[in-house]
């Protein structure tokens, strides 16, 4: 008899996360916990998912995102309710780089929500998964974390923290049954990039990015670029000599 998966999504109102949830529930009914900062938005997502998968047990948890004690308490209570099969950490926002340069409070907020907070959540889940020797922990980073660029290096630095953290966690958990999946989306059509879409940016569809995340989680892939072409693009950008890189307006 196959057991229902126990899935937790932090930042569950994210468009990418919501589409991952739809795909997981389309595979099979599951026990799904949606964690987020806004109860109403969480309930909206939960209602839609319940309609799509009436057999699933879907609940919402309103949470703190920066308080380490509160994060530990929330994850402890989630883990106490049953062994977690998949935890996806999805929250983040795209700050205005110019504002971060002129306003340290904005820079701090961007670093905290995109770097510190996901890492603290991941660390809290990792301890429980390591103890259970079971589970897949997926964290959404970004291609922006691969090399600091003048157009978005504060966001990039936070995502770089997530990248380095995930590497270390993968090293720690190598040889266990716990998988850590680092997701690096390229520009994707979600509310976060609505302003870029208006400027004519080419964006991947949220459905395709979510599908690649779900596939990577299933396979326990250590790193996934979504869409895959961003592996090549970011490899080139990372390898560009500084003299050439500094001439680029990116
Ligand atoms: N879209 C892209 O082009 C792209 C590219 C690379 C990486 N990513 C990453 O993908 C992940 C999902 O983003 P998305 O594209 O799905 O964007 P989205 O639909 O705008 O979702 C953003 C999520 O982050 C949460 N969030 C924003 N600010 C927060 C804060 N201060 N404290 C707590 N939660 C906060 C939002 O919660 P509320 O609903 O409560 O606002 C929402 O759940 C993020 O980590 C993002 O950095 C996105």
């Amino acid at each position: 008899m196959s057991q229902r998966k126990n899935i937790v999504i932090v930042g569950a109102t994210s468009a990418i996360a919501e589409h991952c949830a739809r795909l997981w529930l389309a595979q099979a009914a599951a026990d799904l916990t949606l964690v987020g900062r806004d109860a109403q938005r969480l309930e909206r997502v939960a209602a839609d998912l319940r309609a799509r998968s009436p057999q699933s047990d879907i609940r919402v948890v309103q949470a703190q995102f920066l308080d380490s004690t509160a994060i530990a308490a929330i994850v402890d209570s989630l883990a106490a309710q049953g062994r977690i099969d998949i935890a996806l950490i999805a929250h983040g926002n795209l700050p205005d780089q110019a504002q971060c340069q002129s306003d340290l409070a904005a820079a701090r907020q961007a670093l905290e929500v995109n770097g510190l907070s996901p890492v603290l959540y991941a660390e809290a889940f990792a301890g429980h998964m390591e103890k259970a020797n079971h589970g897949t922990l997926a964290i959404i980073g970004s291609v922006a974390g691969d090399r600091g660029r003048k157009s978005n290096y504060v966001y990039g630095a936070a995502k770089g923290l997530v990248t380095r953290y995930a590497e270390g966690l993968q090293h720690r958990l190598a040889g266990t049954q716990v998988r850590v999946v680092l997701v690096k989306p390229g520009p994707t059509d979600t509310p976060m990039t609505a302003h870029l879409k208006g400027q004519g940016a080419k964006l991947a569809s949220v459905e395709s990015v979510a599908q690649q995340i779900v596939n990577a989680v299933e396979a326990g892939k250590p790193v996934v670029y979504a869409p895959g072409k961003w592996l090549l693009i970011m490899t080139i950008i990372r390898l560009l000599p500084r003299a050439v890189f500094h001439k680029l307006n990116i």
Side-chain angles (χ1 to χ4, degrees), residues 24 85-88 135-141 163 166-167 169-171 177-184 208-232:
W24 278 317
D85 297 301
I86 298 171
L88 170 66
T136 300
L137 176 56
I139 316 170
I140 305 188
T163 296
E167 272 175 18
L169 189 59
Q170 286 165 349
H171 192 191
Q177 294 302 309
V178 182
R179 300 284 167 265
V180 178
V181 176
L182 173 62
V183 182
K184 297 186 185 186
S208 67
V209 168
Q211 185 66 64
Q212 286 167 81
I213 294 172
V214 166
N215 293 346
V217 166
E218 181 69 31
K221 242 180 140 179
V223 181
V224 58
Y225 284 80
K229 68 177 181 185
W230 284 95
L231 170 58
L232 177 63

Side-chain angles (χ1 to χ4, degrees), residues 163-213:
T163 296
R164 209 53 80 229
Y165 168 81
E167 272 175 18
L169 189 59
Q170 286 165 349
H171 192 191
R172 168 180 154 196
L173 297 174
T176 75
Q177 294 302 309
V178 182
R179 300 284 167 265
V180 178
V181 176
L182 173 62
V183 182
K184 297 186 185 186
T188 305
D189 189 357
T190 71
M192 179 181 287
T193 52
H195 60 296
L196 300 178
K197 196 178 184 184
Q199 295 161 18
K202 204 163 169 278
L203 304 170
S205 77
V206 68
E207 290 84 0
S208 67
V209 168
Q211 185 66 64
Q212 286 167 81
I213 294 172

Side-chain angles (χ1 to χ4, degrees), residues 10-18 35-39 41-42 44-45 63-66 89-95 109 112-114 117-118 121 139-144 155 159 183-194 196 203-204 206 209 213 226:
V10 180
T13 55
S14 125
I16 292 177
E18 186 176 358
V35 181
R37 63 175 170 169
D38 185 286
R41 279 199 287 272
L42 283 169
R44 181 195 57 75
V45 174
Q64 294 287 326
F65 279 78
L66 293 178
I89 300 174
H91 59 286
N93 63 26
L94 187 60
Q109 203 264 354
E112 286 178 342
V113 72
N114 292 298
S117 175
Y121 265 105
I139 316 170
I140 305 188
S142 171
V143 296
Y155 175 72
K159 293 295 192 179
V183 182
K184 297 186 185 186
T188 305
D189 189 357
T190 71
M192 179 181 287
T193 52
L196 300 178
L203 304 170
V206 68
V209 168
I213 294 172

Side-chain angles (χ1 to χ4, degrees), residues 14-189:
S14 125
I16 292 177
E18 186 176 358
H19 281 80
C20 290
R22 287 182 190 178
L23 291 170
W24 278 317
L25 298 188
Q27 286 173 356
D31 295 329
L32 175 64
T33 305
L34 307 176
V35 181
R37 63 175 170 169
D38 185 286
Q40 272 186 350
R41 279 199 287 272
L42 283 169
E43 275 303 341
R44 181 195 57 75
V45 174
D48 176 78
L49 292 172
R50 285 185 195 113
R52 289 166 188 272
S53 180
Q55 309 302 324
S56 291
D57 184 6
I58 300 170
R59 63 198 193 99
V60 305
V61 174
Q62 192 178 12
Q64 294 287 326
F65 279 78
L66 293 178
D67 179 334
S68 51
T69 307
I71 290 171
I74 284 161
V75 176
D76 286 354
S77 83
L78 293 172
Q81 285 155 36
R83 194 174 78 157
I84 297 167
D85 297 301
I86 298 171
L88 170 66
I89 300 174
H91 59 286
N93 63 26
L94 187 60
D96 182 83
Q97 171 64 28
Q99 192 194 356
C100 289
Q101 289 167 207
S102 61
D103 174 0
L104 289 187
R108 179 187 181 132
Q109 203 264 354
L111 291 166
E112 286 178 342
V113 72
N114 292 298
L116 190 61
S117 175
V119 160
L120 292 178
Y121 265 105
E123 194 62 14
F125 282 111
H128 289 288
M129 286 183 166
E130 186 176 33
K131 224 176 278 165
N133 196 25
H134 176 83
T136 300
L137 176 56
I139 316 170
I140 305 188
S142 171
V143 296
D146 278 11
R147 187 166 188 177
R149 288 174 289 122
K150 64 182 175 184
S151 60
N152 71 350
Y153 64 81
V154 173
Y155 175 72
K159 293 295 192 179
L161 168 64
V162 171
T163 296
R164 209 53 80 229
Y165 168 81
E167 272 175 18
L169 189 59
Q170 286 165 349
H171 192 191
R172 168 180 154 196
L173 297 174
T176 75
Q177 294 302 309
V178 182
R179 300 284 167 265
V180 178
V181 176
L182 173 62
V183 182
K184 297 186 185 186
T188 305
D189 189 357

